[in-house]
Amino acid sequence: MQPFRFENAWVAHDSFKDVLSNTWQHGAVDVSVNFENLTSALRVWSRERFGDIHKRKRRVLARFKGVKES
C-alpha cells in the first residue's frame, strides 16, 4: 500500500468536513486509531470523488508537454 498523502484540494470540497466529522471520534483515548480511521475513510472518499488524481495529473502534463513542443 502506498503511503498516505494528504491533498490540500480536499479541504475545499464540500463533503470533506462531513468525512472528517463522521470519522473522527471525539474523546477517543487513542489518537492513532482516529488517524487510522480517518486515513482509510479519506482514501475511499478521494477515490470516489476525484479518482486517481496523480494519474490524471501525469496525463495532463504529458499533453501539455506535447502541445508546448509543437
Side-chain angles (χ1 to χ4, degrees):
M1 180 180 282
Q2 292 182 348
F4 178 77
R5 288 189 242 172
F6 184 86
E7 301 292 338
N8 290 332
W10 293 347
V11 178
H13 196 278
D14 293 338
S15 62
F16 174 78
K17 289 181 183 177
D18 293 333
V19 174
L20 180 61
S21 64
N22 291 336
T23 307
W24 198 266
Q25 297 175 2
H26 297 284
V29 177
D30 192 353
V31 175
S32 66
V33 172
N34 270 338
F35 279 117
E36 287 177 27
N37 292 340
L38 181 59
T39 56
S40 294
L42 285 173
R43 284 179 200 268
V44 171
W45 173 79
S46 177
R47 197 175 322 116
E48 290 172 353
R49 296 285 183 245
F50 299 100
D52 188 342
I53 60 174
H54 299 289
K55 182 190 282 185
R56 288 173 46 195
K57 179 181 176 182
R58 284 190 300 272
R59 277 190 299 208
V60 168
L61 289 175
R63 288 178 65 195
F64 178 73
K65 183 180 177 185
V67 169
K68 188 176 174 183
E69 290 175 355
S70 3

